[in-house]
Every structure is written in C-alpha cells, then in structure tokens.
C-alpha cells in the first residue's frame, strides 16, 4: 500500500494563519489605544544572503514571500560572493543593533572562504530565528526530554533550528508518534542532523546518527523505523535500504538546474530525469509504495521550514516588545 504523503502544505497554512493572527495582535498592542490608533510596527525579518547563487536567491525569495503572507516585513540583505568574514560579521552586528529588526536569518551555505560558524554565532540570541547559533543548539541539547517539542526554547533566548522543528511538527500534525521508535538520521551537521537528533531524542525516540564514515550505511538505515535524510546529496539514501513500513523524512532539496524548480507541489520526486523540478536526499520513488509515510520533495519539509521561521520571527518580536513595554496584564514577566 502506498505510504501516506506528509504534505507540508496544509499544516504550513494552518501555522501561517496562527502567525498572521499573532502579528496582527502584536501590531494592535504596540499601536496605541483608542479607535483612531495607528497599527503598530510589523515584525521585521532580515534575510542575509552572501553570494546570490540561483538557489540562494530562490530561498531568499521564498522567505520574502512567506513573510509578506503573514504581515512580517522582510528585509533582504544581499552581499556579494567575495564578501569577507569580517564584513559579514560587521553586517550582522549592525542588524543586531538595529531596534527595528526582530529576527536575522543567515542563508546557508555561505561561500567557502567565509567562517560560517563565526557568523552564526555572532547573531544575537534573541534574533537567532534560524536557530543556527551554538547557543541555540546548546539550549536544545540541555533541554529536558519531552520539553523540546515546541518550536521555541520555552521563553529563553535562542530558537530551535527551523528544519528539524518543521520535521517534528509535521510528524505531530499527521499523528506519527516517535516515542520508543528507532530513528536513524543520515547527516550530523549542526544545522540539521544534530538538532534533529536532539529533537527526536527529546520526543523519546532511540536515535542513531550516521555520517560519511559510518560503516554499512545501508544496514544501519535498514534498522530505522523513522529515517531522516539530511545528507545534502541527491538520492544518496537508496529506497532498497529502507524497511517496509518506515516513516521516511527527506530534508534534502536539490532543484534540477536545467528546469529550475516550480512551486511546492506534493508529488514524489521520481529522480533527476523527472519533471517535478527537484529531488531530495532519499530515493523516494523506490520506497513510496511500501513505507508507512514519506515527505514529498518538493512540498514536504520545505513549506513547514518556512512556517517555523515565521513562528520564530513573531516569537522574537513578541519577546522584544515585552522587553520594551512590559508584559500584557496578567502575564508574569
Ligand atoms: P551538510 O552540512 O553538508 O552536512 C551533510 C552531512 O551528511 C554531514 O554530516 C556528512 O557527514 C553527511 N554525509 C555526507 N556524505 C555522506 C555519505 N556518503 N554517507 C553518510 N553521510 C554523509 O548539509 P546540511 O546543511 O546538514 O543539509 C543536509 C540536507 O538538508 C541537505 O539536503 C540540505 O539541502 C537540507 N537542508 C538544509 C538546511 C540548512 O539549514 N542547512 C535547511 C533545510 C534543508 P560528515 O559530517 O562526516 O561530513
């Protein structure tokens, strides 16, 4: 039987509606009172691109559009490919100090000559809406089991990385519990693989993390009841490696350069020769008919990641507004 398609569209739209309501409420609260009160300030998300390749530009545009849908103001900052680490850091410092900016999202990957880790770690904790700083990851690592299912870190500065948070939210939306299950993640980056492992651990899965030196990758993946592909290589994870009845999550997104990528359809990627516009890290067509559920590429994890970024941004704006004006009546500071 064909696996359940974990379409990211419906939950992302629900989350966006909730974010839009929170943005409207924030603007109402910060806009003064009385019938003639002006609408308050919209939250601002700075989207920092360094080296505007085709994919980076597309990612930037998608984030801009998503912001506009919910009333968040996007501030696109595009720096040339040759920008030095010191210049990126200086730009981040300026955005950190800019009272109008609530969130800063630095688009990964940066050009090779830029010290990416230093840049992520320079983003102020309260504005790290991508959740990519060492502090945000550290908070996730030390959170109590069962306490990290929400996309923020429980009121503390720092945020849960958007893509892993999106995956957990997607599983939850489709009622797929992971407690007690064997989860196998392929990829150990600090942006996807590691925070994903921490979130699944927090949700009581038994977690194995694989990487480029894992021996017998196929054998390890075969043990997974939940398999997460976060490897960054098109269809590296073969369908035949995956056991019948597994839940398959594909964080990868690789547009076909010759056709570009089109929208966020929910079809299964049928490999590089197909016309869906993108493929993922998992050979989905070879497993879609016998797994319990899978995320399509495009249209699975992607729309939910955008939604999580919006959630983190409005949360950052709410926290900043509370710091400026004090909490609403009845809520402790
Ligand atoms: P990354 O930083 O390049 O990390 C890739 C990971 O995959 C590394 O841990 C690497 O192992 C492992 N790997 C590489 N080749 C392997 C192999 N042959 N066998 C086993 N493991 C192997 O990539 P990333 O940024 O985490 O992204 C992962 C995927 O998620 C990509 O498809 C990307 O498009 C997608 N994604 C990323 C983001 C983001 O914010 N970065 C957001 C959404 C989606 P080593 O550690 O041993 O090198």
């Amino acid at each position: 039987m064909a696996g359940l398609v974990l379409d990211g569209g419906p939950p992302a739209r629900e989350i966006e509606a909730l974010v839009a309501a929170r943005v409207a409420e924030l603007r109402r609260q910060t806009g003064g009172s009385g019938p003639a009160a002006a609408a308050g300030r919209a939250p601002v998300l700075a989207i920092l691109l360094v080296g505007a390749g085709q994919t980076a530009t597309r990612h930037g545009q998608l984030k801009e559009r998503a912001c506009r849908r919910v009333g968040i103001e996007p501030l696109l900052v595009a720096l040339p490919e040759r920008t030095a680490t010191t210049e990126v850091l200086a730009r981040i410092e300026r955005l950190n100090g800019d009272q109008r900016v609530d969130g800063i999202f630095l688009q990964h990957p940066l050009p090779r000559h830029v010290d990416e880790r230093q840049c992520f770690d320079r983003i102020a904790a309260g504005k790290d809406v991508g959740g990519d700083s060492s502090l945000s990851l550290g908070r996730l690592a030390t959170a109590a089991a069962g306490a990290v299912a929400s996309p923020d870190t429980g009121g503390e500065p720092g945020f849960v990385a958007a893509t892993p948070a999106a995956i957990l939210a997607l599983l939850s939306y489709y009622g797929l519990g992971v407690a007690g299950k064997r989860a196998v993640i392929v990829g150990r980056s600090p942006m996807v693989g590691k925070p994903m492992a921490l979130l699944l651990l927090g949700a009581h899965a038994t977690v194995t993390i694989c990487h480029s030196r894992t021996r017998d990758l196929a054998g390890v993946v075969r043990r997974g009841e939940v398999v997460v592909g976060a490897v960054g290589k098109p269809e590296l994870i073969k369908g035949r490696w995956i056991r019948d009845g597994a839940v398959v999550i594909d964080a990868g997104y690789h547009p076909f350069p010759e056709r570009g990528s089109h929208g966020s359809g929910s079809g299964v990627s049928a490999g590089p020769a197909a016309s869906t516009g993108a493929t993922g890290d998992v050979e989905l067509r070879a497993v879609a008919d016998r797994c319990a559920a899978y995320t399509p590429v495009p249209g699975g994890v992607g729309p939910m990641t955008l939604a999580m970024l919006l959630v983190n941004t409005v949360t950052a704006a709410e926290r900043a507004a509370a710091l400026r004006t004090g909490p609403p009546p009845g809520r402790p500071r």
Side-chain angles (χ1 to χ4, degrees):
M1 205 174 84
L4 173 69
V5 180
L6 305 179
D7 185 348
R13 281 191 288 278
E14 281 186 20
I15 291 169
E16 285 192 10
L18 292 171
V19 171
R22 284 169 65 182
V23 168
E25 174 61 16
L26 190 62
R27 295 192 70 173
R28 196 189 60 72
Q29 281 178 12
T30 57
S33 56
R41 191 179 65 81
V44 174
L45 172 65
I47 303 159
L48 186 50
L49 305 179
V50 186
Q54 199 190 344
T55 308
T57 306
R58 180 184 146 74
H59 281 304
Q61 286 167 346
L62 285 173
K63 287 177 183 82
E64 265 189 305
R65 268 186 248 143
C67 283
R68 293 216 167 86
R69 283 198 296 273
V70 297
I72 290 173
E73 192 183 311
L75 174 66
L76 197 63
V77 181
L79 302 178
E81 178 87 21
R82 63 176 184 281
T83 309
T85 300
T86 48
E87 294 169 77
V88 182
L89 292 172
R91 184 57 72 107
I92 291 170
E93 291 285 12
R94 268 165 54 194
L95 293 169
N96 281 342
D98 189 334
Q99 294 286 311
R100 294 165 306 165
V101 173
D102 297 289
I104 302 170
F105 181 85
L106 176 60
Q107 183 67 52
H108 164 91
L110 281 93
R112 278 177 177 274
H113 66 272
V114 176
D115 183 338
E116 189 173 275
R117 180 48 38 203
Q118 217 189 332
C119 293
F120 282 123
D121 287 349
R122 191 60 62 89
I123 298 172
K127 298 189 180 188
D128 177 31
V129 291
D132 297 313
S133 70
S134 300
L135 186 106
S136 288
L137 185 60
R139 285 204 190 282
L140 189 57
T142 54
V148 290
S150 86
D152 70 53
T153 49
E156 296 293 329
F159 293 89
V160 177
T163 297
I167 290 170
L168 208 69
L170 201 54
L171 290 169
S172 164
Y173 180 85
Y174 285 100
L176 298 168
V178 298
K181 297 247 169 83
R182 289 189 304 276
V184 173
I185 301 159
V186 188
R188 60 174 167 182
S189 79
M191 318 188 55
V192 188
K194 281 180 188 164
M196 186 73 255
L198 292 167
L199 279 178
L200 288 169
L201 201 59
H204 310 296
T206 301
V207 179
T208 303
I209 310 176
C210 304
H211 47 80
S212 62
R213 302 206 188 175
T214 297
R215 270 186 287 129
D216 184 22
L217 183 61
V220 179
V221 168
R222 198 162 291 122
R223 289 202 290 275
E225 297 167 285
V226 177
V227 175
V228 181
V231 77
K233 295 188 175 159
E235 300 194 351
L236 180 123
I237 301 159
K238 302 302 172 202
R240 65 179 180 280
W241 297 358
I242 296 170
R243 63 165 50 221
D244 289 357
V247 172
V248 184
I249 305 294
D250 195 338
Y253 177 77
H254 310 281
F256 306 144
E258 68 277 16
R259 291 186 176 88
S261 96
H262 307 288
S264 58
S266 58
V268 182
S269 161
S275 59
T276 54
T279 191
D281 292 352
V282 183
E283 189 192 22
L284 288 173
R285 73 200 138 133
V287 73
D289 283 346
R290 52 182 188 77
C291 63
Y294 66 93
T295 56
V297 178
V301 174
M304 282 295 274
T305 298
L306 280 176
M308 287 300 153
L309 184 61
L310 302 175
V311 169
N312 285 351
T313 303
V314 74
T315 301
E318 287 167 351
R319 288 178 187 169
L323 280 177
R324 279 194 294 270
T325 62
R331 272 181 61 183
R333 192 157 202 160

